[in-house]
Amino acid sequence: MISKTAKALDVQALRADFPILERVVNGKPLVYLDNAATTQKPRSVIQSLVDYYENYNANVHRGVHTLSMEATDMTEAARKRVADFINAPEPETVIWTRNATEGMNIVAHSWGRGNIEPGDEIVTTPMEHHSNLVPWQEIASERGASLRFIPLSDDGTLDLSDLDAIITERTKLLAFTHASNSLGTINPAKLLTEKAHAVGATVLVDGAQSVPHMPVDVEDIGCDFLSFSGHKMMGPTGIGALYAKRELLEGMEPFLTGGEMVLQVSYEKASWADLPWKFEAGTPNIADSIGMGAAVDYLSALGMENVREHEKRITEYALERFKEIEEVDVFGPEDPELRGGVVSFHNEDVHPHDLGTFLDQQGIAVRTGHHCTMPLMSKLGVVATARASFYVYNTEQEIDALVDGIKGALRYFGNGLA
Ligand code: 7TS
């Protein structure tokens, strides 16, 4: 179904905004299909970093001089733009982090330690990235709580048929990924949040693969926490954001302590600064927060409905073309409404690393491995997959190059494909 409000993006025109897409790799034009790992950056984002370092590089929040005030205004304006992008009610509810992983760890250490009690249950899914699984394993074992998993259906969606038996009065937290980096599955965030809230549980959404690719509205979903990374949405590495409801942040102890996050300090004790700085100890990543603001501007100008629509189309095209290669198993839901632009695939005769190396010779960048979802790989019965993941600048011609490349690899490694 094509959204009524979406309009087709001029992909050729927007490709010109990404200098790296001009690159030649191994004698071939770069076909960049590793966007779930990190995305490419438009010139406006790169320029925002250069602009900061060339014109107003200074530390923030502690200076009365012009450069410091300019840097402070720019990083706080970027926070406001990130907050608006996810429809957070106020910028103070958005904390700068290093990445999605750090956001999840803030929730685990600051909220988890203060709230999870012996006997509590933490409900999650079998498709979590390690960064939304391992912190919960740690907190569960420290606090005497246990993990429960919503089962996975054969089509790669969550099996919600027995949800009321899994999310119960014992559930203290529901932590799930909005979109899977290995299967592509988009989970029903609002419905899951409502179920969890109905039993009084708190909800953490891992937005690492959703915020960059579709409209995400924290007020509509109703979640308590949402964590995501700048580098997966055209921004720089080393910057991310954690959204949380104000009352939760106010009730949480800081994750890190030191400079910038204090109000009053004596030799004996300290009191904490207001939100959001209570959670931002030390000199923050000023340049990259401004870069993340520039990325949000770029995406907002494209329109997230349009971004989603383009990726849905490309994914549908890719799934259609993959049907030509019978030797290859494709994981995840078939319905493009239920999946993002991630296609993981596997052939039992060709190791994914060999396939990835062969594709690299054609200038095609895909990721191979377990994608930081090792338990999911064993559930799927493989040790690794190859994965193509798309973004707004990918074209049908690039999917054609991928499919031709896979066919070439199967021929090369000699499993009988003509
Ligand atoms: N959650 C999901 C769903 C992810 O896909 C990733 C990164 C993370 C969390 C962690 O993000 P980070 O920025 O903190 O590292 N996923 C991938 C990937 O699929 N390939 O490389 C990184």
Side-chain angles (χ1 to χ4, degrees), residues 390-412:
F390 314 129
Y391 213 11
V392 279
Y393 36 68
N394 290 125
T395 64
E396 292 188 354
Q397 289 82 346
E398 290 181 314
I399 306 290
D400 294 340
L402 171 68
V403 171
D404 288 349
I406 298 169
K407 286 180 180 172
L410 295 180
R411 272 197 301 273
Y412 181 83

Side-chain angles (χ1 to χ4, degrees), residues 34 36-38 98-102 104 127-132 177-182 206-210 227-232 239 367 371-372 387:
D34 194 17
T38 200
R98 276 190 306 148
N99 46 39
T101 303
E102 186 172 281
M104 252 87 80
M127 65 176 89
E128 296 310 310
H129 188 278
H130 296 162
S131 69
N132 198 26
T177 191
H178 197 178
S180 158
N181 67 319
S182 290
D206 173 358
Q209 299 292 350
S210 61
S227 186
F228 52 105
S229 290
H231 71 96
K232 292 185 195 291
I239 189 76
R367 182 142 297 236
H371 317 296
C372 294
R387 180 191 69 185

Side-chain angles (χ1 to χ4, degrees), residues 2-149:
I2 301 293
S3 158
K4 286 193 190 72
T5 50
K7 65 176 189 314
L9 295 172
D10 184 347
V11 175
Q12 286 311 328
L14 74 83
R15 282 179 71 86
D17 296 334
F18 294 79
I20 210 169
L21 298 180
E22 299 288 312
R23 253 204 81 164
V24 169
V25 171
N26 294 320
K28 303 276 169 52
L30 168 67
V31 174
Y32 186 78
L33 301 177
D34 194 17
N35 293 287
T38 200
T39 60
Q40 299 305 345
K41 323 302 175 198
R43 203 170 273 107
S44 59
V45 168
I46 299 166
Q47 192 52 45
S48 74
L49 303 179
V50 173
D51 192 34
Y52 165 72
Y53 285 119
E54 284 190 351
N55 295 309
Y56 59 99
N57 172 50
N59 210 332
V60 291
H61 301 144
R62 34 170 103 129
V64 292
H65 65 80
T66 300
L67 296 193
S68 176
M69 287 188 289
E70 284 177 9
T72 303
D73 288 350
M74 288 296 278
T75 182
E76 291 307 326
R79 188 197 305 275
K80 168 89 171 79
R81 295 215 284 289
V82 171
D84 289 346
F85 189 66
I86 55 165
N87 198 29
E90 41 180 355
E92 293 77 17
T93 57
V94 171
I95 311 293
W96 292 125
T97 61
R98 276 190 306 148
N99 46 39
T101 303
E102 186 172 281
M104 252 87 80
N105 274 278
I106 292 174
V107 181
H109 291 274
S110 289
W111 180 88
R113 284 225 173 92
N115 289 279
I116 291 178
E117 311 276 347
D120 282 349
E121 291 178 353
I122 299 166
V123 175
T124 184
T125 84
M127 65 176 89
E128 296 310 310
H129 188 278
H130 296 162
S131 69
N132 198 26
L133 174 63
V134 180
W136 300 116
Q137 293 172 341
E138 292 292 296
I139 292 295
S141 97
E142 184 185 310
R143 305 291 303 159
S146 54
L147 294 185
R148 291 193 73 178
F149 295 86

Side-chain angles (χ1 to χ4, degrees), residues 347-363:
N347 170 276
E348 57 186 31
D349 298 318
V350 184
H351 193 281
H353 292 308
D354 292 336
L355 185 54
T357 306
F358 186 93
L359 290 173
D360 182 56
Q361 292 306 308
Q362 322 295 314

Side-chain angles (χ1 to χ4, degrees), residues 110-287:
S110 289
W111 180 88
R113 284 225 173 92
N115 289 279
I116 291 178
E117 311 276 347
D120 282 349
E121 291 178 353
I122 299 166
V123 175
T124 184
T125 84
M127 65 176 89
E128 296 310 310
H129 188 278
H130 296 162
S131 69
N132 198 26
L133 174 63
V134 180
W136 300 116
Q137 293 172 341
E138 292 292 296
I139 292 295
S141 97
E142 184 185 310
R143 305 291 303 159
S146 54
L147 294 185
R148 291 193 73 178
F149 295 86
I150 302 170
L152 197 62
S153 305
D154 288 343
D155 69 353
T157 59
L158 292 176
D159 175 357
L160 304 179
S161 55
D162 225 5
L163 204 55
D164 291 338
I166 298 164
I167 299 176
T168 69
E169 254 78 63
R170 285 189 301 279
T171 309
K172 190 50 93 47
L173 176 76
L174 170 65
F176 64 94
T177 191
H178 197 178
S180 158
N181 67 319
S182 290
L183 296 169
T185 315
I186 297 173
N187 290 317
K190 189 171 177 172
L191 181 145
L192 289 170
T193 300
E194 281 166 4
K195 284 281 180 195
H197 282 171
V199 296
T202 298
V203 176
L204 162 64
V205 177
D206 173 358
Q209 299 292 350
S210 61
V211 174
H213 300 283
M214 64 181 91
V216 173
D217 178 333
V218 291
E219 296 263 81
D220 180 55
I221 295 170
C223 57
D224 300 292
F225 297 103
L226 174 79
S227 186
F228 52 105
S229 290
H231 71 96
K232 292 185 195 291
M233 50 191 286
M234 301 185 183
T237 50
I239 189 76
L242 173 68
Y243 157 80
K245 285 188 177 154
R246 176 178 271 279
E247 57 274 23
L248 288 171
L249 289 174
E250 281 175 346
M252 282 157 58
E253 288 301 313
F255 179 42
L256 297 175
T257 54
E260 301 257 1
M261 52 74 65
V262 282
L263 186 63
Q264 283 290 331
V265 184
S266 68
Y267 282 114
E268 291 76 30
K269 59 182 179 10
S271 60
W272 311 142
D274 286 339
L275 295 176
W277 303 293
K278 172 179 155 186
F279 290 96
E280 294 177 359
T283 298
N285 187 346
I286 305 160

